[in-house]
Amino acid sequence: MRSSFRLLLLCGLQLCILVPIEANDFSSFLSANASLAVVVDHEYMTMHGQNIRAHFEKILSDIIRENLKNGGINVRYFSWNSVRLKKVDDNSVMVKSIVHESTTNHITPISLILYKINDSLKGQKKRSALRQALAQFAPPKHELKQQQFLVVSKFHDDIIEIAETLNMFHVGNQWMFFILEKVRRDFDAGTVTINLDEGANVAFALNKTLPDCQDTLNCTISEVSLALVTAISKMTVEEQSIYGEISDEEWESIRYTKQEKQAEILEYMKDYLKANSKCASCARWQIETAITWGKSQENRKFRAAPTRDAKNQNFEFINIGYWSPLLGFVCQELTFPHIDHHFRNITMDVVTVHNPPWQILTKDSHGVILEHKGIVMELLKELSRALNFSYYLHEASNWKDDYSITTSTSSNESDELAGSMTFRIPYRLVEMVQGNQFFMAAVAATVEDPDHKPFNYTLPISVQKYSFITRQPDEVSRIYLFTAPFTTETWACLVGIILLTAPMLYAINRLAPLQEMQIIGLSTVKSCFWYIFGALLQQGGMYLPRADSGRLVVGFWWIVVIVLVTTYCGNLVAFLTFPKFQPGVDYLSQLPRHKEISQYGLRNGTFFERYVQTTTRDDFKHYMARAQIYGNSQEENIEAVKQGHRINIDWRINLQLIVQQHFERDKECRFALGKESFVDEQIAMIVPSHSVPYLHLINSHIDRLFRMGFMERWHQMNLPSADKCTGKSSLRQVTNHKVNMDDMQGCFLVLLLGFMVAFAIGCGEFWYHHLYVHKTSRQPPSSVFTT
Ligand SMILES: *[C@@H]1O[C@H](CO)[C@@H](O)[C@H](O)[C@H]1NC(C)=O
Ligand SMILES: *[C@@H]1O[C@H](CO)[C@@H](O)[C@H](O)[C@H]1NC(C)=O
Ligand SMILES: *[C@@H]1O[C@H](CO)[C@@H](O)[C@H](O)[C@H]1NC(C)=O
Ligand SMILES: *[C@@H]1O[C@H](CO)[C@@H](O)[C@H](O)[C@H]1NC(C)=O
Ligand SMILES: *[C@@H]1O[C@H](CO)[C@@H](O)[C@H](O)[C@H]1NC(C)=O
Ligand SMILES: *[C@@H]1O[C@H](CO)[C@@H](O)[C@H](O)[C@H]1NC(C)=O
Ligand SMILES: *[C@@H]1O[C@H](CO)[C@@H](O)[C@H](O)[C@H]1NC(C)=O
Ligand SMILES: *[C@@H]1O[C@H](CO)[C@@H](O)[C@H](O)[C@H]1NC(C)=O
């Protein structure tokens, strides 16, 4: 439908295929004629000043007479003024209609900007005008916008050059150039893109219009008419052949609807025009698109030495099809194949080294890599899936081999340190990367001074921190465990109140006015002391004061005893359950306090060593000044750490590995890791300079993998996790609550209150005795004894 619309628009005529009037009863071309309405646009007709309608009538009737052997066709002509064909008047209307159509057809809304450059400008002025127009779309640094450019211009080479300087050719942008050149022979896509970097998405549309075209109205009219007549003939013949063989009922059920019939006719017309068109459809634009992603990789395989050539070897232009007004785009490949298919499943060379747990390579006896896994390899697999490339792994010798060449070759398996380091990249690998032979280096490498490296890093794929390992501190001796529940202050006060309460009890007892009120057992300070002390230890008191004042003192003392005993017992249980440890080294700055640690160790080849050169932290510098660098497990001297003489600094995950191994072997936890983790070491992959165009793409995928949680998962699978020992040593952090004066002050205050009340009552008793007893003592003493 669309293509016919285009066709008609082009010649300014409208053909309507009208099916016969009783539309629903229409059964076939066998029983009824097709109707054709020819509408001639009035405006177009007057513009051309010819009697188009008359020409049309003559041509069409000739064609029908000569070609329509089967079926029939009724033609009617209209040319009234009210008919206005849908026409695009100017650019703004076109933009509106495109944007409108994209929203109604559920296409992602686009914003479209049209630019026109005054084509009478010359030289420098032209270039500055172009630059001005393009600069608005230039990407800000470190940002990848996805823009599409459609350039219809004679100045394509200037535009390419200027856009290149503005960094507008990158993997996100799409450029389509319509080359308007009079002499099209001299256009060579390879030459104009000579300076472009790999990774650009460029396509050219070349004018392949045949010069010997008879582009007249008569020609178009007869061509279209012939197509229609042929189509109707064909359909009629088809219907005849089927109709003859089946019954009417069957025919009713299988025949086409109006809509289907219409589509069928158009399909036949298109086929006919595709094969026979000579008039309008000879306008033709051939599309050539650049196959470039990963091209330098492929080239390198086939070319030993670089050749001097006027072409950019990284761009291969392929003819993907054409556009013609009749058929629209006829392509056998996407116009920008890299946007959807990325690297189009080409095979890339990737270099790597064995470095568990980042890259784990399993090789057979011939050194052929059978299997690869580990954090970086998982990432590589995912990247190759997302970016549609296959890869071939090359192994660079790893740094231990480099190392062993320089030192005496005493590589002993059992001597190797556990865990990994990423700070040192093997020299051979750097060399290979610099040779630009590889798409990327799938190695975990510490990001260090990225601006002065001959290669680029990807986004960090991991961050590792350092920590230290020491002997786990011993438990505090339990000799003084029984004193642990109370603070010294509380103990002192306790002694104080015992010393205070005993004389108090004595005094109260002694001051009791009546002799028989006084208890013999409390008649000395010493016996009072033992009474109070005994009560505290729950030995009970044998005596009880008879006077109320005395009873109050004893009663309140018992309250104190209850509170004291309960808190003491409760806390004692807590101190027994959670052992207390001697202070260990939790932070590096505490190290000077621990004189027993005499050796400081640091693993060889750490980023920490480099970091300390620029740091301001004194504890790091102090450590570094004394540190012994160790490169094998003998020098690592983990036994000394176990004895408590040594502290080692390494990646936290490596230390966890040591703790884990020792736990598995000895079933005990003798090590403690520092509470502090320091120096964030960023780890990334390496991308050679010629792959930098794709760096942004790789980074955005890494970012996506982080967000989807894949990175975390791969870390969990490959790195040692928090082990069983960490659980126990974390108990060290539990600090039991000691009963202090804040808790006990109420208890002591109650006792004080008791004393005061007892004292007051005692005074009362004394006063009562003084008044009453002395009054009665003036009476005959006999009465005293009677009371
Ligand atoms: C178009 O065809 C008509 C009828 O055949 C003829 O009279 C007329 O001269 C033709 N016009 C051109 C420009 O050839
Ligand atoms: C159908 O068309 C043929 C020739 O095109 C004509 O002779 C015939 O009269 C037409 N029939 C009707 C019913 O219009
Ligand atoms: C195009 O440039 C020419 C020469 O500089 C100038 O005379 C003309 O006015 C410009 N046209 C437009 C539309 O700006
Ligand atoms: C395309 O080429 C044809 C034939 O060489 C020419 O007539 C026409 O003007 C060209 N079109 C454009 C837009 O350059
Ligand atoms: C990968 O590239 C090939 C070759 O162009 C293509 O056929 C395939 O569809 C692409 N796969 C994906 C997932 O894009
Ligand atoms: C991609 O390439 C690999 C190896 O060349 C091949 O095994 C695989 O089938 C290809 N995949 C597609 C989708 O073409
Ligand atoms: C490796 O070291 C262990 C312990 O130091 C020693 O017993 C063994 O003989 C050494 N093996 C080799 C091949 O040097
Ligand atoms: C790649 O590295 C070079 C120098 O090391 C730097 O100038 C450039 O900005 C880096 N490219 C990207 C995309 O980060």
Side-chain angles (χ1 to χ4, degrees), residues 385-428:
R385 204 188 53 75
L387 296 180
N388 197 6
F389 65 86
S390 325
Y391 54 88
Y392 185 80
L393 283 178
H394 299 259
E395 196 192 6
S397 55
N398 79 35
W399 71 269
K400 282 176 193 136
D401 301 348
D402 283 359
Y403 192 70
S404 61
I405 295 165
T406 52
T407 60
S408 59
T409 338
S410 64
S411 58
N412 193 330
E413 275 289 310
S414 61
D415 250 11
E416 268 187 33
L417 289 172
S420 65
M421 277 287 134
T422 59
F423 180 62
R424 262 204 212 150
I425 312 164
Y427 172 71
R428 178 84 191 109

XYZ file of all heavy atoms in Angstrom, residues 385-428:
361
model
N 28.900 -12.464 25.064
C 27.505 -12.732 24.737
C 26.767 -11.421 24.415
O 26.065 -11.320 23.412
C 26.828 -13.427 25.912
C 25.622 -14.248 25.535
C 24.901 -14.732 26.774
N 24.586 -13.631 27.678
C 23.622 -12.762 27.477
N 22.853 -12.864 26.417
N 23.404 -11.779 28.333
N 27.000 -10.430 25.250
C 26.276 -9.167 25.063
C 26.736 -8.423 23.823
O 25.937 -7.801 23.128
C 26.460 -8.291 26.298
N 28.036 -8.481 23.534
C 28.563 -7.724 22.400
C 28.730 -8.595 21.161
O 29.301 -8.160 20.170
C 29.893 -7.060 22.779
C 29.788 -6.020 23.885
C 31.149 -5.427 24.201
C 28.850 -4.900 23.491
N 28.269 -9.818 21.223
C 28.216 -10.700 20.051
C 29.588 -10.909 19.406
O 29.773 -10.648 18.239
C 27.208 -10.105 19.042
C 26.762 -11.129 18.009
O 27.110 -12.298 18.099
N 26.007 -10.674 17.035
N 30.544 -11.355 20.196
C 31.812 -11.774 19.590
C 32.254 -13.097 20.207
O 31.847 -13.445 21.302
C 32.902 -10.708 19.730
C 33.339 -10.399 21.136
C 34.327 -11.138 21.764
C 32.776 -9.332 21.824
C 34.738 -10.836 23.051
C 33.177 -9.025 23.117
C 34.159 -9.783 23.728
N 33.033 -13.842 19.446
C 33.670 -15.024 20.009
C 35.099 -14.617 20.340
O 35.579 -13.618 19.842
C 33.704 -16.173 19.005
O 32.557 -16.157 18.219
N 35.780 -15.401 21.155
C 37.146 -15.005 21.483
C 38.037 -16.228 21.547
O 37.591 -17.347 21.761
C 37.194 -14.244 22.812
C 36.557 -14.976 23.957
C 37.282 -15.866 24.731
C 35.221 -14.774 24.248
C 36.691 -16.551 25.763
C 34.619 -15.455 25.281
C 35.359 -16.342 26.039
O 34.746 -17.022 27.058
N 39.298 -15.959 21.306
C 40.297 -17.008 21.424
C 41.294 -16.549 22.474
O 41.843 -15.445 22.397
C 40.980 -17.233 20.075
C 41.929 -18.388 20.114
C 41.449 -19.696 20.006
C 43.283 -18.176 20.285
C 42.321 -20.760 20.089
C 44.160 -19.245 20.356
C 43.670 -20.536 20.262
O 44.524 -21.579 20.347
N 41.513 -17.400 23.462
C 42.369 -16.984 24.579
C 43.834 -17.302 24.304
O 44.165 -18.405 23.866
C 41.945 -17.699 25.858
C 40.704 -17.177 26.565
C 40.411 -18.029 27.781
C 40.887 -15.731 26.984
N 44.689 -16.316 24.543
C 46.134 -16.529 24.471
C 46.664 -16.321 25.876
O 46.264 -15.390 26.557
C 46.793 -15.505 23.547
C 46.295 -15.578 22.148
N 46.985 -16.185 21.143
C 45.152 -15.121 21.595
C 46.303 -16.099 20.027
N 45.186 -15.447 20.272
N 47.581 -17.155 26.269
C 48.106 -16.980 27.618
C 49.473 -16.317 27.565
O 50.359 -16.742 26.827
C 48.216 -18.326 28.333
C 48.385 -18.133 29.829
C 48.779 -19.400 30.554
O 49.041 -20.413 29.885
O 48.841 -19.351 31.788
N 49.593 -15.258 28.347
C 50.916 -14.652 28.511
C 51.527 -15.320 29.729
O 50.822 -15.681 30.658
C 50.781 -13.158 28.737
N 52.849 -15.488 29.721
C 53.470 -16.117 30.882
C 53.202 -15.244 32.092
O 53.187 -14.024 31.985
C 54.970 -16.234 30.649
O 55.476 -14.954 30.337
N 52.958 -15.867 33.237
C 52.582 -15.004 34.358
C 53.791 -14.554 35.148
O 54.904 -14.996 34.921
C 51.468 -15.632 35.194
C 51.942 -16.696 36.134
O 53.037 -16.599 36.673
N 51.124 -17.701 36.331
N 53.578 -13.627 36.050
C 54.727 -12.898 36.599
C 55.609 -13.745 37.492
O 56.779 -13.450 37.674
C 54.283 -11.624 37.312
C 53.567 -11.825 38.606
C 52.240 -11.948 38.786
C 54.148 -11.902 39.903
N 51.952 -12.115 40.098
C 53.111 -12.087 40.817
C 55.457 -11.842 40.385
C 53.323 -12.211 42.174
C 55.664 -11.968 41.743
C 54.608 -12.153 42.622
N 55.048 -14.836 37.971
C 55.893 -15.703 38.792
C 56.985 -16.312 37.915
O 58.109 -16.512 38.347
C 55.046 -16.778 39.442
C 54.291 -16.223 40.627
C 53.367 -17.246 41.243
C 52.416 -16.571 42.200
N 51.061 -17.051 42.035
N 56.613 -16.592 36.648
C 57.609 -17.123 35.731
C 58.665 -16.065 35.423
O 59.850 -16.345 35.390
C 56.949 -17.577 34.426
C 55.897 -18.644 34.694
O 55.886 -19.157 35.836
O 55.112 -18.938 33.792
N 58.200 -14.838 35.214
C 59.134 -13.728 34.999
C 60.108 -13.635 36.156
O 61.309 -13.496 35.994
C 58.370 -12.384 34.966
C 57.666 -12.190 33.653
O 57.799 -13.073 32.790
O 56.989 -11.161 33.503
N 59.519 -13.724 37.327
C 60.242 -13.561 38.565
C 61.280 -14.656 38.722
O 62.424 -14.414 39.053
C 59.208 -13.622 39.689
C 59.703 -13.207 41.036
C 60.013 -11.859 41.268
C 59.829 -14.127 42.066
C 60.442 -11.470 42.516
C 60.258 -13.737 43.302
C 60.569 -12.409 43.531
O 60.994 -12.019 44.758
N 60.863 -15.868 38.386
C 61.743 -17.003 38.619
C 62.945 -16.985 37.680
O 63.930 -17.636 37.935
C 60.970 -18.308 38.465
O 60.461 -18.392 37.162
N 62.844 -16.238 36.586
C 63.994 -16.146 35.695
C 65.088 -15.318 36.362
O 66.265 -15.653 36.321
C 63.590 -15.505 34.346
C 62.616 -16.443 33.630
C 64.798 -15.236 33.473
C 61.866 -15.816 32.497
N 64.676 -14.249 37.018
C 65.661 -13.357 37.623
C 66.244 -13.953 38.899
O 67.439 -13.861 39.134
C 65.037 -11.995 37.934
O 63.850 -12.217 38.694
C 64.697 -11.249 36.657
N 65.418 -14.573 39.727
C 65.948 -15.154 40.962
C 66.345 -16.607 40.696
O 66.089 -17.156 39.633
C 64.884 -15.108 42.076
O 63.750 -15.853 41.636
C 64.482 -13.684 42.381
N 66.981 -17.188 41.676
C 67.386 -18.589 41.512
C 66.135 -19.454 41.404
O 65.168 -19.256 42.122
C 68.216 -19.018 42.715
O 67.454 -18.856 43.889
N 66.167 -20.391 40.487
C 64.965 -21.159 40.171
C 64.685 -22.201 41.250
O 64.954 -23.382 41.063
C 65.114 -21.836 38.803
O 66.095 -21.141 38.062
C 63.815 -21.823 38.046
N 64.161 -21.741 42.339
C 63.838 -22.694 43.401
C 62.343 -22.682 43.677
O 61.895 -22.642 44.797
C 64.604 -22.343 44.678
O 64.168 -21.077 45.124
N 61.593 -22.629 42.597
C 60.139 -22.565 42.795
C 59.660 -23.895 43.367
O 59.722 -24.927 42.725
C 59.447 -22.258 41.472
O 59.779 -23.235 40.530
N 59.230 -23.844 44.564
C 58.771 -25.022 45.279
C 57.275 -24.827 45.513
O 56.862 -23.821 46.059
C 59.545 -25.097 46.603
C 59.367 -26.445 47.283
O 58.311 -27.074 47.116
N 60.357 -26.865 48.036
N 56.492 -25.768 45.094
C 55.029 -25.654 45.179
C 54.565 -25.226 46.568
O 53.761 -24.328 46.719
C 54.378 -26.997 44.812
C 54.191 -27.200 43.315
C 53.103 -26.319 42.727
O 52.005 -26.320 43.294
O 53.366 -25.630 41.732
N 55.141 -25.892 47.566
C 54.672 -25.625 48.916
C 55.132 -24.252 49.408
O 54.726 -23.797 50.451
C 55.170 -26.705 49.864
O 56.582 -26.703 49.863
N 56.007 -23.619 48.632
C 56.521 -22.315 49.023
C 55.613 -21.170 48.604
O 55.786 -20.049 49.050
C 57.897 -22.099 48.387
C 58.975 -22.131 49.453
O 58.626 -22.533 50.579
O 60.101 -21.743 49.154
N 54.696 -21.474 47.713
C 53.892 -20.389 47.151
C 52.920 -19.816 48.168
O 52.373 -20.524 48.998
C 53.113 -20.911 45.938
C 53.872 -20.693 44.659
C 53.043 -21.039 43.449
O 51.822 -20.844 43.514
O 53.638 -21.521 42.480
N 52.731 -18.522 48.045
C 51.817 -17.861 48.969
C 50.380 -18.117 48.549
O 50.084 -18.253 47.367
C 52.075 -16.357 48.937
C 53.380 -15.899 49.563
C 53.589 -14.426 49.291
C 53.386 -16.168 51.046
N 49.525 -18.150 49.551
C 48.108 -18.323 49.247
C 47.546 -17.001 48.732
O 48.102 -15.935 48.979
C 47.370 -18.746 50.515
N 46.475 -17.080 47.979
C 45.804 -15.855 47.538
C 46.443 -15.267 46.301
O 47.250 -15.900 45.632
N 46.078 -14.064 45.982
C 46.531 -13.467 44.722
C 46.840 -11.992 44.914
O 46.528 -11.401 45.931
C 45.432 -13.600 43.677
O 44.321 -12.837 44.077
N 47.476 -11.443 43.902
C 47.787 -10.016 43.848
C 47.504 -9.572 42.428
O 47.620 -10.360 41.484
C 49.271 -9.792 44.136
C 49.610 -9.760 45.591
S 49.014 -8.236 46.307
C 48.234 -8.812 47.775
N 47.146 -8.330 42.260
C 46.897 -7.859 40.899
C 47.723 -6.630 40.570
O 47.569 -6.037 39.520
C 45.411 -7.500 40.692
O 45.070 -6.484 41.638
C 44.528 -8.690 40.885
N 48.585 -6.237 41.496
C 49.317 -4.998 41.268
C 50.360 -5.162 40.174
O 50.538 -4.308 39.324
C 49.968 -4.546 42.570
C 50.747 -3.284 42.422
C 50.116 -2.107 42.038
C 52.110 -3.266 42.655
C 50.839 -0.939 41.887
C 52.831 -2.088 42.518
C 52.194 -0.937 42.118
N 51.024 -6.297 40.199
C 52.057 -6.522 39.196
C 51.481 -7.195 37.972
O 50.956 -8.298 38.053
C 53.140 -7.402 39.769
C 54.277 -6.565 40.235
C 55.514 -7.398 40.248
N 56.331 -6.905 41.342
C 57.135 -7.658 42.014
N 57.232 -8.942 41.740
N 57.846 -7.145 42.974
N 51.565 -6.514 36.848
C 51.119 -7.125 35.603
C 52.351 -7.709 34.936
O 53.392 -7.042 34.894
C 50.471 -6.086 34.677
C 49.472 -5.254 35.454
C 49.808 -6.739 33.501
C 49.079 -4.001 34.751
N 52.267 -8.929 34.421
C 53.459 -9.511 33.795
C 53.951 -8.612 32.670
O 53.166 -8.071 31.889
C 52.958 -10.836 33.239
C 51.733 -11.136 33.982
C 51.152 -9.864 34.440
N 55.248 -8.503 32.615
C 55.879 -7.655 31.612
C 55.488 -8.090 30.204
O 55.197 -7.284 29.333
C 57.390 -7.732 31.797
C 58.151 -7.054 30.709
C 58.145 -5.662 30.619
C 58.864 -7.788 29.766
C 58.822 -5.029 29.605
C 59.541 -7.161 28.755
C 59.523 -5.779 28.678
O 60.188 -5.163 27.679
N 55.436 -9.394 30.017
C 55.131 -9.965 28.709
C 53.718 -9.545 28.257
O 53.488 -9.250 27.088
C 55.231 -11.488 28.820
C 54.891 -12.234 27.578
C 56.090 -12.325 26.643
N 55.639 -12.814 25.352
C 55.572 -12.078 24.251
N 55.966 -10.827 24.268
N 55.130 -12.570 23.130
